[in-house]
Amino acid sequence: MVWRNVKWPIYHLFVAALALLMLYPVLWMLFSSFKESRTIFVTADSLFPTKWIWSNYVDGWKGTAGRPFMDYITNSLVIVVISTIGAVISSSLIAFGFARLSFKGRSFWFSIMMLTLMLPHDVVLVPQYIIFTKLGWLNTILPIVVPTFFGMPFFIFLMVQFIRTIPKELDEAATIDGCNKFRLYIQIIMPLIKSSLATAAIFSFYWRWEDLLGPVLYLNSPEKYTVSMALKMFLDSESASNWGAMFAMSIVSLVPVVAVFFIFQKQIVQGMSTSGLKG
Amino acid sequence: MRQYSSLRRNLTGYAFISPFIIGFLGFTLIPMFVSLYMSFTSYNLFTSPRWIGLDNYTKMFFDDPKYWNSVKVTFLYVFIGVPLRLIFALFVAMVLNTGSRMIGTYRTLYYLPSIIGGSVAVSIMWRNLFSNEGVINSALTAIGIGPISWFGDPNASLVMLISLSVWQFGSSMLIFLAGLKNISPEMYEAAGVDGANPVRKFFSITLPLLSPIVLFNMIMQTIGAFMTFVPAYIISKGEGGPMDGTMLYSLYLFRQAFMFNNMGYASAMAWIMLIMIGMLTVAVFLTSKYWVFYESEGGK
């Protein structure tokens, strides 16, 4: 019966060690951001800095390409906020239509929606670029935010699955009380699917915050650059070898992502694990 | 009267989904036709497209070793990376699928890398982990292999990219974990009474019951892996090097379109990618009836 006593400690030791191994790269980056730039690689194999250098954050915060890092954060936030509002509102509207209204051609459009979910973005990348260029949208955030106002298939799918779990009797009761479809959507369904709206908002935040391709294609003056592009510029100016500042700002760029993750982890985990199971 | 109400019902439905239809036409369907047309032209964005028939396709297949190299690199990336990622995801999901109270914490820790994985910061970090004096080389030197020139050897740099993708197994793991929770413990107990060992239980209970989820993960991960761009772009600083060792299909397409202004050629590449992904997905679906088990069918 010795086994029973040692089984759990061994299990936890193993799982925790594996978790540490997984997180090691992130910890390495975190601690490197406090090392002296010239010592980062000499001491790459020791995790903790011998001397804690806070000035990396001060240097990094001064930014790159002549603009303070705060500007890039502001640019990213503007894109994230606008596109998240667009994605959540339009996707929920569309999801309500698919999940609750019956009309001719519904299943046809639903299959089209599911197909676009699997469509590789590369196929429309070039023509979209050309169309947006012809529209004169180059060097504006329009090509990045406008498409989100037409529904994001992944979010629509997520919300449709969620709305289907709400009993239909609710709709009938509301309709008898004289509620039209739009009020039904706003006043009855929307409040009930709050958690899937939150899930969509969180994922939208992640994707926009981390997006590099959109800004690389469409933004070409540094005063419009996002955080991702600022980090890329740090990397490109590697000759200056201000590693410390680069790592420091990399950490800064991850703070909102990790913070949102820890605040909403229950929602995120649920949203992720249910997305694959039904349907 | 009745006709009127059904018309009204249809109109209401379409009003709700109209953003999707407009977006689909404007941002997907029309661009797809444009892309198909452009794939038969030579177009540099500045002069009008010139019809050249199948030239882009013949050049791609017969006269562009760089294209075939990008196909090779991408296939290696997808067909090594995705299975490793799924095996790892399933392994961790099974390890975590115990009654332990710590599971929430562990799940969070294992999922964290996937949440930050798409960011430029992580690609920069990965690049530096593998640099000549980096952590990975110190560790390899310590155990007597290496140092390896990760940025000099095309195969080594591909390993670097694949390892980054395997590291982000979190979302598949969560989906597997949810699937494992749905398998009733009685199944395992009954098998245990019949004398089945853990390996047997895995192959006769866990894997068959999980197979629809494996299918789902496999398709979504394969499509995602085919389109990988950011890590290759950042790790190779946009060059796809060394010796095109990290020149993934998407990166090569991007370079053709936006560095060399070969819009027609890039469009042709995009269509071949669509066809390859389509064929792969269909193949997976067709073979799935031999290995995917649906409980409702009531038997193997």
Side-chain angles (χ1 to χ4, degrees):
Chain A
M1 285 297 106
V2 182
W3 174 236
R4 186 169 287 169
N5 291 326
V6 296
K7 196 175 123 187
W8 284 107
I10 288 178
Y11 172 80
H12 285 291
L13 210 63
F14 173 73
V15 177
L18 196 62
L20 188 68
L21 190 71
M22 285 285 297
L23 293 177
Y24 188 87
V26 185
L27 295 175
W28 180 80
M29 179 162 66
L30 178 64
F31 289 118
S32 290
S33 73
F34 292 105
K35 289 178 179 174
E36 260 182 288
S37 283
R38 57 184 177 82
T39 66
I40 286 178
F41 287 106
V42 189
T43 62
D45 41 0
S46 67
L47 194 56
F48 300 102
T50 43
K51 211 166 78 190
W52 292 74
I53 307 289
W54 289 90
S55 63
N56 288 333
Y57 282 83
V58 180
D59 284 353
W61 196 251
K62 283 183 195 142
T64 166
R67 307 203 72 84
F69 202 77
M70 190 62 214
D71 284 12
Y72 302 116
I73 294 183
T74 313
N75 290 340
S76 282
L77 280 178
V78 169
I79 291 179
V80 166
V81 169
I82 298 178
S83 55
T84 299
I85 291 173
V88 171
I89 292 180
S90 60
S91 301
S92 66
L93 196 74
I94 297 163
F96 174 80
F98 277 133
R100 276 302 205 255
L101 303 176
S102 60
F103 53 90
K104 257 200 188 113
R106 179 177 70 168
S107 55
F108 168 77
W109 285 108
F110 192 74
S111 349
I112 294 278
M113 205 270 302
M114 292 307 288
L115 275 179
T116 59
L117 196 62
M118 293 165 92
L119 186 78
H121 184 241
D122 290 50
V123 181
V124 290
L125 189 68
V126 172
Q128 272 189 3
Y129 178 80
I130 292 166
I131 292 169
F132 291 139
T133 308
K134 300 259 179 214
L135 285 173
W137 286 5
L138 220 57
N139 207 22
T140 70
I141 61 168
L142 293 174
I144 303 170
V145 300
V146 169
T148 61
F149 281 77
F150 295 89
M152 308 282 284
F154 179 70
F155 299 155
I156 299 173
F157 175 62
L158 209 72
M159 292 173 192
V160 166
Q161 299 289 24
F162 204 88
I163 296 174
R164 281 184 180 155
T165 63
I166 300 170
K168 273 218 157 159
E169 287 77 28
L170 216 60
D171 298 26
E172 284 155 21
T175 312
I176 290 167
D177 288 346
C179 197
N180 68 24
K181 297 294 181 201
F182 191 70
R183 273 187 57 201
L184 182 68
Y185 157 69
I186 296 277
Q187 292 183 334
I188 313 276
I189 301 292
M190 280 278 256
L192 287 174
I193 61 166
K194 257 191 234 142
S195 70
S196 73
L197 300 180
T199 307
I202 293 161
F203 276 103
S204 161
F205 163 78
Y206 284 150
W207 294 343
R208 290 302 141 192
W209 185 262
E210 295 181 342
D211 182 27
L212 178 70
L213 192 56
V216 161
L217 285 183
Y218 295 112
L219 305 177
N220 47 36
S221 55
E223 78 263 16
K224 295 190 171 132
Y225 281 4
T226 60
V227 169
S228 296
M229 292 188 80
L231 291 180
K232 189 187 162 287
M233 281 195 293
F234 268 115
L235 182 69
D236 290 342
S237 63
E238 209 175 293
S239 50
S241 69
N242 199 350
W243 297 106
M246 185 177 77
F247 283 126
M249 290 308 104
S250 295
I251 293 293
V252 168
S253 82
L254 292 179
V255 168
V257 177
V258 175
V260 166
F261 177 59
F262 280 107
I263 297 169
F264 297 103
Q265 51 162 313
K266 217 175 155 190
Q267 223 116 44
I268 298 169
V269 166
Q270 253 171 19
M272 205 54 232
S273 29
T274 47
S275 66
L277 297 177
K278 308 169 200 164
Chain B
M1 196 61 200
R2 225 174 123 188
Q3 241 174 349
Y4 171 74
S5 82
S6 94
L7 176 71
R8 208 183 124 112
R9 212 183 51 206
N10 285 336
L11 280 180
T12 316
Y14 276 94
F16 273 92
I17 68 160
S18 60
F20 171 73
I21 297 178
I22 297 167
F24 171 72
L25 296 177
F27 300 121
T28 306
L29 194 66
I30 295 172
M32 277 178 81
F33 280 118
V34 173
S35 160
L36 186 62
Y37 165 74
M38 280 194 319
S39 76
F40 298 108
T41 68
S42 168
Y43 182 43
N44 64 7
L45 207 60
F46 307 109
T47 53
S48 45
R50 185 166 52 84
W51 184 266
I52 54 168
L54 286 171
D55 281 11
N56 285 325
Y57 292 95
T58 49
K59 184 188 167 210
M60 196 188 310
F61 289 138
F62 304 110
D63 211 16
D64 186 2
K66 267 188 152 222
Y67 172 79
W68 284 111
N69 175 71
S70 79
V71 172
K72 188 191 88 182
V73 170
T74 309
F75 272 56
L76 286 172
Y77 177 80
V78 171
F79 291 113
I80 298 174
V82 172
L84 280 179
R85 196 177 181 166
L86 291 184
I87 290 170
F88 213 61
L90 182 56
F91 171 73
V92 174
M94 285 176 60
V95 169
L96 292 187
N97 190 35
T98 56
S100 166
R101 253 180 297 159
M102 288 285 286
I103 185 178
T105 312
Y106 290 139
R107 197 178 49 191
T108 305
L109 294 179
Y110 286 110
Y111 187 42
L112 186 66
S114 306
I115 280 292
I116 60 176
S119 64
V120 172
V122 162
S123 292
I124 290 179
M125 168 190 87
W126 212 256
R127 191 185 148 83
N128 286 298
L129 283 175
F130 283 85
S131 69
N132 285 339
E133 311 87 18
V135 187
I136 304 289
N137 269 342
S138 313
L140 287 177
T141 313
I143 56 169
I145 338 165
I148 292 172
S149 168
W150 298 100
F151 295 95
D153 174 356
N155 293 324
S157 47
L158 186 60
V159 169
M160 178 166 61
L161 271 189
I162 291 174
S163 64
L164 176 55
S165 101
V166 175
W167 185 59
Q168 296 155 9
F169 63 80
S171 62
S172 308
M173 175 200 71
L174 290 181
I175 297 172
F176 279 138
L177 206 50
L180 287 172
K181 281 219 185 89
N182 285 338
I183 301 178
S184 71
E186 286 95 46
M187 286 252 199
Y188 293 106
E189 278 160 27
V193 171
D194 289 346
N197 61 18
V199 178
R200 183 74 205 274
K201 282 180 192 167
F202 174 75
F203 283 105
S204 339
I205 300 173
T206 315
L207 213 48
L209 288 180
L210 225 49
S211 56
I213 298 164
V214 175
L215 174 72
F216 173 84
N217 269 338
M218 200 148 114
I219 289 175
M220 296 316 277
Q221 299 289 331
T222 305
I223 296 174
F226 250 105
M227 291 187 289
T228 305
F229 172 78
V230 171
Y233 182 72
I234 291 295
I235 284 176
S236 73
K237 290 190 164 187
E239 308 278 332
M243 288 182 282
D244 297 328
T246 56
M247 188 66 90
L248 293 183
Y249 203 100
S250 281
L251 181 56
Y252 190 52
L253 192 155
F254 172 86
R255 285 175 66 81
Q256 283 292 349
F258 303 106
M259 309 235 123
F260 312 131
N261 287 323
N262 292 331
M263 297 291 173
Y265 195 65
S267 302
M269 277 188 71
W271 272 89
I272 297 298
M273 182 197 221
L274 180 66
I275 291 168
M276 283 196 297
I277 291 181
M279 283 181 2
L280 212 66
T281 311
V282 170
V284 172
F285 269 119
L286 286 181
T287 60
S288 72
K289 68 172 178 215
Y290 299 107
W291 60 271
V292 173
F293 170 89
Y294 291 101
E295 252 177 303
S296 52
E297 285 166 19
K300 247 189 193 170

